[in-house]
């Protein structure tokens, strides 16, 4: 497996790093404090092509590969994990499913506008009683002539309160065994009967919108069905393979930010007459952090490289997401510890990093679910 980063990928990484430093970083603290969706920065991300990075040029995107996209999420998340997830969800599960499974007409209507950032995408799978058990969704789509009528509720939808286009999963045939009855639909924000419900107040990722969606007799033409009837569960799972690489990259960005802050702080903070970085207890903590971040990076790059080559990457994506998110949590917790009392205050950004890291272990499949995905893939490999 070649983990070499090409010149083109480096160029994109630099462009995004500069944008993150100049445009996103100065606003990161106020986004966290205000918990307001950073609409103007999202617009600027669209202006420089960030919202359509891995989308082919013929569909209005930049045509970069999945590794470049992953590097971009990492760089944005390094300064703002909230903007990192807005970008990740918009792209990997908000736009890519339409590109992968859409008809020509669906792609023409939705993809260029999403890639340009004129519209924002979201992915609506989770329900109050169907989180880890994604087959348990109850939102219904009943076929009535040449249309479908959707009724139900979704929760914890990232970009939920702000998106224009939602890929929504609903049961079309409850008589068919579990996942065979799930179908995907494209729902536009202004469709009658659709509304955004409660917006969540979260521990972290302030500024990223997490909302409930309500569907009451939402009538959709059959042309808004994504893929065939009964294909929905597999569409969701296959797109989450890519999405989880994005979350791994987000976690990697958060961990790196915390680590860099720790390196700077421990060299400048003096106790007992010397910089605390000179104490072995601190050095071993930094060494462990550096090792975990490097391992998370290798797993994430590997999964992204497989995705870029259109090869199966479910197991690798789950490994990357699981390991990178655990790394983000352990590194940010240890960095708060190294900052001592200051780390527990809002004077430094490290407490934000710790709050932001937690959700990477939870969304796009909890880390317990990632282990199930990995174990299932191993079991399959053993029988092949
Ligand atoms: N690609 C394509 N097909 C897949 C697939 C994949 N990656 N994974 C599974 N499938 C197929 C299987 O082959 C199987 O098909 P057949 O019956 O034809 O063989 C079918 O889907 C059912 O698969 P399983 O039997 O494995 O399904 P399961 O119900 O036992 O479990 C699960 C699957 C892994 C637990 C799954 O439900 C899961 O991933 N749960 C977590 C849900 C999740 O990640 N939610 C995230 C919400 S989105 C989000 O968080 C975004 C955000 O806001 C940040």
């Amino acid at each position: 497996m070649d983990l070499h980063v090409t010149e083109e990928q480096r160029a994109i990484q630099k462009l995004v790093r500069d944008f993150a430093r100049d445009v996103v970083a100065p606003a990161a603290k106020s986004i966290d404090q205000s918990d307001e969706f950073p609409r103007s920065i999202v617009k600027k991300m669209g202006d420089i092509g960030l919202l359509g990075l891995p989308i082919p040029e013929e569909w209005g995107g930049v045509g970069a590969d999945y590794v470049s996209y992953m590097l971009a999420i990492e760089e944005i998340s390094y300064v703002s994990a909230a903007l990192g997830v807005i970008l990740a969800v918009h792209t990997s599960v908000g736009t890519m499913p339409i590109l992968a499974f859409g008809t020509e007409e669906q792609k023409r209507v939705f993809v260029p506008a999403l890639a340009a950032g004129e519209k924002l995408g979201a992915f609506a799978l989770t329900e109050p009683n169907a989180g880890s058990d994604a087959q348990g969704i109850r939102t219904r789509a009943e076929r009535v002539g040449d249309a479908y009528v959707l009724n139900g509720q979704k929760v914890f939808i990232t970009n939920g309160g702000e998106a224009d286009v939602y890929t929504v999963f609903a049961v079309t045939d409850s008589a068919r065994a579990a996942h065979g009855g799930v179908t995907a639909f494209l729902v536009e924000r202004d469709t009658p009967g659709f509304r955004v419900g409660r917006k969540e107040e979260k521990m972290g990722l302030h500024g990223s919108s997490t909302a409930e969606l309500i569907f009451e007799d939402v009538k959709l033409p059959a042309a808004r069905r994504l893929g065939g009837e009964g294909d929905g569960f597999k569409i969701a799972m296959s797109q989450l393979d890519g999405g989880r690489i994005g979350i791994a990259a987000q976690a990697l960005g958060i961990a790196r930010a915390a680590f860099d802050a720790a390196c700077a702080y421990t060299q400048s903070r003096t106790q007992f007459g010397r910089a605390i970085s000179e104490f072995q207890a601190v050095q071993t903590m930094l060494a462990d952090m550096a090792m975990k971040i490097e391992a998370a990076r290798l797993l994430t790059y590997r999964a992204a490289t497989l995705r870029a080559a259109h090869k199966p990457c479910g197991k690798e994506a789950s490994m990357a997401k699981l390991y990178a998110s655990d790394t983000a949590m352990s590194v940010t917790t240890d960095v708060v510890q190294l900052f001592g009392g200051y780390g527990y205050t809002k004077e430094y950004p490290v407490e934000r990093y710790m709050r932001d890291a937690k959700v990477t272990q939870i969304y796009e499949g909890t880390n317990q679910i990632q282990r199930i995905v990995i174990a299932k893939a191993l079991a399959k490999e053993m029988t092949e």
Side-chain angles (χ1 to χ4, degrees):
M1 175 59 55
D2 183 10
L3 290 172
H4 172 71
V5 176
T6 66
E7 254 179 57
E8 192 187 335
Q9 290 161 350
R10 282 257 176 259
I12 291 176
Q13 184 185 38
K14 179 173 183 329
L15 181 117
V16 182
R17 186 174 287 171
D18 291 349
F19 176 85
R21 185 196 56 223
D22 298 342
V23 179
V24 185
K29 186 171 182 179
S30 71
I31 293 169
D32 180 56
Q33 283 173 337
S34 69
D35 199 10
E36 274 173 26
F37 187 78
R39 177 63 69 183
S40 67
I41 296 181
V42 173
K43 160 123 193 20
K44 286 179 187 157
M45 284 164 81
D47 291 345
I48 64 159
L50 257 179
L51 298 179
L53 212 47
I55 309 301
E57 287 175 75
E58 61 169 312
W59 294 109
V62 170
D65 68 356
Y66 220 80
V67 174
S68 307
Y69 165 61
M70 189 222 92
L71 292 168
I73 295 176
E74 184 187 336
E75 292 305 326
I76 296 290
S77 303
Y78 182 86
V79 297
S80 167
L83 275 147
V85 79
I86 292 168
L87 167 65
V89 166
H90 163 82
T91 312
S92 50
V93 288
T95 309
M96 296 300 251
I98 310 176
L99 192 65
F101 296 97
T103 60
E104 286 295 304
E105 192 252 354
Q106 288 170 340
K107 287 196 255 192
R108 192 167 38 74
V109 170
F110 295 110
V111 175
L114 286 161
E118 290 158 14
K119 289 183 190 285
L120 191 69
F123 179 84
L125 176 66
T126 304
E127 298 185 2
N129 294 307
S132 292
D133 180 10
Q135 290 197 30
I137 60 169
R138 289 190 196 152
T139 294
R140 293 195 52 81
E142 227 172 293
R143 180 109 198 198
V144 182
D146 200 23
Y148 289 89
V149 179
L150 266 69
N151 278 288
Q153 179 195 11
K154 298 286 175 181
V155 291
F156 300 135
I157 306 305
T158 300
N159 291 346
E162 305 291 330
D164 305 282
V165 184
Y166 301 82
T167 300
V168 179
F169 298 87
V171 176
T172 38
D173 185 354
S174 49
R176 284 184 69 187
H179 71 81
V182 176
T183 302
F185 296 91
L186 299 172
V187 179
E188 288 173 271
R189 188 187 182 84
D190 57 4
T191 312
F194 168 75
R195 69 189 157 90
V196 175
R198 198 171 78 119
K199 294 184 187 167
E200 301 299 339
E201 281 182 45
K202 308 188 294 293
M203 171 196 278
L205 281 196
H206 295 166
S208 136
S209 164
T210 308
E212 173 191 32
L213 308 179
I214 295 159
F215 304 84
E216 282 171 345
D217 291 331
V218 174
K219 194 169 174 192
L220 292 177
R224 287 293 172 267
R225 190 187 69 219
L226 184 67
E229 274 201 15
D231 291 348
F233 189 76
K234 289 186 182 180
I235 291 176
M237 290 300 119
S238 66
Q239 298 311 292
L240 281 169
D241 289 348
R244 287 167 183 162
I245 301 171
I247 301 307
Q250 183 202 24
L252 188 55
I254 299 169
R256 256 186 53 214
F259 177 72
D260 287 354
C263 289
Y265 183 79
T266 55
Q267 284 174 53
S268 64
R269 171 77 174 165
T270 306
Q271 290 290 281
F272 304 104
R274 48 191 164 139
I276 61 171
S277 60
E278 289 177 30
F279 293 104
Q280 217 167 39
V282 171
Q283 289 168 356
T284 56
M285 284 171 81
L286 291 173
D288 280 347
M289 289 180 206
M291 175 185 66
K292 288 180 189 174
I293 290 171
E294 194 60 25
R297 175 178 292 120
L298 292 174
L299 283 170
T300 307
Y301 283 19
R302 174 170 158 72
T305 305
L306 286 172
R307 189 76 172 173
H310 306 285
K311 292 188 179 158
C313 64
K315 182 183 75 178
E316 292 78 6
S318 286
M319 286 179 171
K321 191 272 192 193
L322 163 53
Y323 193 81
S325 61
D326 280 356
T327 295
M329 197 64 235
S330 78
V331 166
T332 55
T333 306
D334 283 351
V335 171
V336 168
Q337 186 71 20
L338 284 176
F339 274 66
Y342 293 109
Y344 200 65
T345 71
K346 292 197 184 284
E347 186 180 344
Y348 291 93
V350 294
E351 62 82 34
R352 166 164 62 90
Y353 300 152
M354 186 175 162
R355 285 185 286 110
D356 287 349
K358 182 61 205 169
V359 76
T360 64
Q361 296 178 305
I362 298 172
Y363 60 20
E364 297 223 12
T366 64
N367 283 0
Q368 288 69 29
I369 289 295
Q370 306 309 324
R371 287 181 170 86
I372 291 173
V373 175
I374 296 164
K376 281 189 183 201
L378 290 175
K380 197 168 162 226
E381 283 169 17
M382 285 178 222
T383 57
E384 278 170 1

